């Protein structure tokens, strides 16, 4: 149980274009999902908290106009990197936990990540 | 915010050796998890362990919440254990989101 699916696994895009990344909870409902960013050989840094049916909460220093988050249902959150530039190249990972159990026994589950390269 | 410190930052072991990874955190937590990140980036949830001791095969973990630390034990290490091990905590006052340590990079050699 507690599976999170993330797509695509990797994407290469041209500078100036937008890229959408999907995060789905497959066997549970998640009122809240989280988006992280990881640079090579570094830890995961929280970018934003995605709230179902309301606006996302962004961490300090994260541009909300560049990283658009939509949490339209209890099983889907999307992250859109708008007008991507080479410095946006990174590994993006989403996370969620079961809203019913509060993550009891499993805690948070992570997607497989998306490796974005902007050329 | 809460500080999460992991040690050692790097570790090289010969196959068959045992090791202990440590995670110290600076404040009370609701949740603590240990993850293994494989070479493809996937975070594998090893333990959900806000307190107490758990074992899963060659791995075990102990969290002493009152003293704000957790330990991950790897016994009889195998080359497939190589990768980065992260400790992550959910602060008690935030209610959400895991805060990650910087990880321990483990290399197990044949």
């Amino acid at each position: 149980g507690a599976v999170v699916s993330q797509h695509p696994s990797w994407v290469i895009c041209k500078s100036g274009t937008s890229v959408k990344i999907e995060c789905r909870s497959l066997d549970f409902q998640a009122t809240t999902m989280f988006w992280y960013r990881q640079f090579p050989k570094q830890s995961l840094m929280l970018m934003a908290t995605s709230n179902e049916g309301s606006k996302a909460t962004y961490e300090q220093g994260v541009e909300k106009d560049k990283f658009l988050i939509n949490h339209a249902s209890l099983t889907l959150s999307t992250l859109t990197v708008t007008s991507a530039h080479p410095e946006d190249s990174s590994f993006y990972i989403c996370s969620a936990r079961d809203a019913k159990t509060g993550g009891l026994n499993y805690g948070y589950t992570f997607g497989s990540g998306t490796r974005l390269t902007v050329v | 915010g809460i500080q999460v410190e992991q040690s050692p930052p790097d570790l090289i072991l010969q196959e068959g050796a045992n090791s202990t990874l440590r995670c110290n955190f600076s404040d009370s937590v609701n949740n603590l998890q240990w993850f293994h990140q494989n070479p493809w980036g996937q975070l594998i949830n090893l333990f959900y362990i806000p307190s107490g001791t758990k074992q899963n095969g060659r791995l075990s973990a102990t969290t002493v919440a009152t003293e704000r630390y957790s330990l991950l034990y790897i016994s009889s290490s195998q080359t497939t254990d190589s990768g980065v091990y992260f400790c992550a905590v959910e602060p008690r006052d935030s209610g959400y989101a895991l805060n990650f340590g910087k990880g321990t990079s483990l290399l197990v050699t044949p």
Side-chain angles (χ1 to χ4, degrees):
Chain A
V3 178
V4 173
S5 174
Q6 186 173 340
H7 293 282
S9 298
W10 58 271
V11 58
I12 301 174
C13 72
K14 289 186 177 180
S15 189
T17 61
S18 295
V19 173
K20 181 185 284 188
I21 303 169
E22 290 190 350
C23 179
R24 294 181 185 271
S25 56
L26 297 186
D27 50 1
F28 64 96
Q29 293 183 332
T31 53
T32 306
M33 293 185 176
F34 305 94
W35 288 95
Y36 292 81
R37 182 174 184 176
Q38 185 181 31
F39 290 106
K41 299 192 183 300
Q42 293 190 22
S43 187
L44 281 76
M45 298 300 297
L46 180 67
M47 297 175 63
T49 301
S50 172
N51 305 298
E52 188 267 336
S54 66
K55 290 183 179 180
T57 305
Y58 292 83
E59 295 299 299
Q60 192 171 6
V62 177
E63 298 176 60
K64 58 182 68 176
D65 293 332
K66 166 165 280 294
F67 299 101
L68 298 181
I69 291 173
N70 184 280
H71 195 151
S73 76
L74 289 172
T75 59
L76 174 64
S77 175
T78 60
L79 169 68
T80 301
V81 183
T82 63
S83 187
H85 291 285
E87 57 265 31
D88 299 324
S89 298
S90 189
F91 191 59
Y92 294 89
I93 313 176
C94 68
S95 168
R97 69 178 177 183
D98 191 330
K100 285 185 181 178
T101 65
L104 190 63
N105 295 326
Y106 292 105
Y108 292 84
T109 302
F110 284 75
S112 55
T114 298
R115 197 164 302 280
L116 170 64
T117 302
V118 184
V119 298
Chain B
I2 193 168
Q3 304 299 311
V4 183
E5 295 183 358
Q6 290 186 243
S7 60
D10 301 281
L11 185 59
I12 300 175
L13 297 175
Q14 199 154 22
E15 205 167 20
N18 303 326
S19 63
T20 301
L21 280 57
R22 187 177 180 100
C23 173
N24 292 332
F25 45 97
S26 60
D27 208 342
S28 300
V29 299
N30 287 331
N31 173 22
L32 186 146
Q33 290 179 244
W34 282 97
F35 296 92
H36 176 216
Q37 188 169 40
N38 66 23
W40 298 272
Q42 174 74 55
L43 280 171
I44 310 299
N45 187 9
L46 298 176
F47 293 103
Y48 166 76
I49 187 165
S51 64
T53 298
K54 291 186 178 179
Q55 181 155 8
N56 185 2
R58 296 181 295 103
L59 302 181
S60 64
T62 295
T63 297
V64 183
T66 53
E67 297 186 22
R68 298 179 184 169
Y69 74 88
S70 183
L71 302 174
L72 177 68
Y73 305 96
I74 304 174
S75 64
S76 303
S77 58
Q78 301 175 357
T79 56
T80 52
D81 294 332
S82 297
V84 182
Y85 290 80
F86 286 106
C87 167
V89 303
E90 175 192 340
R92 182 158 293 174
D93 62 353
S94 82
Y96 288 113
L98 291 176
N99 291 254
F100 281 76
K102 292 186 176 181
T104 292
S105 180
L106 172 65
L107 176 63
V108 181
T109 61

